[in-house]
Amino acid sequence: MQTADRLKKIPPYLFMELRKKINKAKAEGVDVISLAIGDPVEATPDSVIDELCKTAREPINHRYPIDEEKGMMAFRKEIARWYVERYNVKLNPETEIRGLIGSKEGCHHFVLARVNPGDIVLMTDPGYPAYRSSILMGEGVPHNVPILAKNNYLPVLEDIPTKIAKKATAIFLNYPNNPTGACATLDFLQKLVAFAREFDIAVCYDNPYGELVFDGQKKISFLQAKGAKDVGIELNSLSKPFNMCGWRLGMACGNPDLIAGISKVKENTDSGVFNAIQYAGIAALKNESGFADKMLGIYARRRELVLKTLKKIGIEFNPPRGTFYLWVPVPKGMTSLEFTNRLFDKTAVVVAAGTAYGQYGEGFVRFSLTVPDDRLEEAMSRIEKEFKS
Ligand SMILES: *Cc1c(COP(=O)(O)O)cnc(C)c1O
């Protein structure tokens, strides 16, 4: 059976390919340790699970979700409260907030709601691969904007050719950044708003790691920039800060027209998130404000261990202060893929090759810190043995 042309433009999803490779090695009896995927291994907080169990028993919640595509009003109100508490940002739960089945869904719906076929959509290189897929499925034309270490992995907006900016109708950004760990500054966000306003570009600011920054780094939201709501939305998610990747719960906040557009797409696609999961999400936002900090303590410890090991094998660098990833320069004379393959073949440790995130990812690999301590220790001891000359 022939499938649609639009699918041919989409490269295979990185982690699906990786999973195949890992499964094959495992089937051959190899003790594989994967540091490739960002998906916390520790459990979701108890209070969240308890709320799910309780509300899952109520028959009213077995019906189609209340408020359907918009997300329950109670959930949206809690998001509004949380944005004030966290960022001092005021949002109208009626018009400026939508519940989502995760922020990844939001990326896709944002494109469908904003981009016409043939429109240029800006995204960073390196960047989260799902942006490209969303743009291509919406029949937009992705245009890569490099983000480089020398600019703290922030795009230089002035360097985007005016011809391109004029044709662009949207931009994807993500800070704290996957894969580099870089954090934005309010000053940069203010420039972003001005840029978006000048060229009528809708901003999709993907912020699922907003809570995950190490000490000394401020937690910020795109919506704190003056005028942000005029030009874009922020996607957020309960996946990464509350160890809820499998629950599929997130939100889009900001510009009412974009929010209405996303709602229209959702209205015609799904019927919203299971009510009990939305109640659990309320419990997370309300009761677990210290949870991300607890996890950060764990990630900080693992981060130190990886940095110490890399130093021993001659890789030294000054990592940015966000997310649970380390964006690691590969040893001199090797490409990203060569280093990734040598790690896999000699130590059975899987990392993500930087080039999976774009051409400017060459020279880097991404380590994820979302594995149990003992497995990370084992991985580091294997790496040290293999690469220590
Ligand atoms: C993990 C991740 C997401 C996906 O979040 P969900 O809410 O689980 O869909 C989105 N964007 C980036 C940059 C991510 O790393």
Side-chain angles (χ1 to χ4, degrees), residues 36-56:
I37 294 170
D39 186 358
V41 281
E42 285 76 22
T44 304
D46 278 337
S47 78
V48 179
I49 300 171
D50 290 345
E51 184 67 11
L52 173 80
C53 295
K54 193 181 102 197
T55 51

Side-chain angles (χ1 to χ4, degrees), residues 310-327:
L310 292 172
K311 196 169 164 185
K312 283 187 196 158
I313 64 164
I315 300 177
E316 231 176 313
F317 65 109
N318 191 14
R321 307 201 57 77
T323 76
F324 44 51
Y325 305 109
L326 280 169
W327 185 240

Side-chain angles (χ1 to χ4, degrees), residues 101-105 128 131 174 178 206 208-209 237 239-240 245 248-249 325:
I101 309 172
S103 119
K104 199 179 189 180
E105 183 204 30
Y128 183 56
Y131 304 144
N174 154 238
N178 173 10
D206 187 22
Y209 300 96
S237 168
S239 293
K240 313 290 166 55
C245 289
R248 312 310 304 130
L249 189 60
Y325 305 109

Side-chain angles (χ1 to χ4, degrees), residues 323-357:
T323 76
F324 44 51
Y325 305 109
L326 280 169
W327 185 240
V328 176
V330 303
K332 275 209 173 58
M334 290 185 109
T335 67
S336 297
L337 205 60
E338 281 166 356
F339 186 54
T340 307
N341 287 339
R342 178 156 162 209
L343 276 176
F344 186 70
D345 296 339
K346 302 286 187 180
T347 70
V349 173
V350 186
V351 299
T355 41
Y357 302 90

Side-chain angles (χ1 to χ4, degrees), residues 82-101:
W82 188 82
Y83 260 90
V84 170
E85 177 190 279
R86 277 313 207 231
Y87 301 120
N88 199 23
V89 165
K90 285 202 185 78
L91 292 163
N92 179 343
E94 187 55 61
T95 55
E96 296 177 331
I97 300 176
R98 282 296 171 268
L100 293 172
I101 309 172

Side-chain angles (χ1 to χ4, degrees), residues 103-134:
S103 119
K104 199 179 189 180
E105 183 204 30
C107 299
H108 185 74
H109 290 351
F110 165 78
V111 173
L112 294 184
R114 165 69 182 179
V115 175
N116 287 314
D119 286 0
I120 288 180
V121 180
L122 307 172
M123 61 172 284
T124 62
D125 177 348
Y128 183 56
Y131 304 144
R132 172 174 302 276
S133 314
S134 293

Side-chain angles (χ1 to χ4, degrees), residues 237-267:
S237 168
L238 279 76
S239 293
K240 313 290 166 55
F242 299 109
N243 295 3
M244 291 176 71
C245 289
W247 296 60
R248 312 310 304 130
L249 189 60
M251 57 272 207
C253 305
N255 183 268
D257 296 326
L258 291 173
I259 294 290
I262 288 170
S263 293
K264 191 162 183 177
V265 175
K266 279 184 74 61
E267 214 173 290

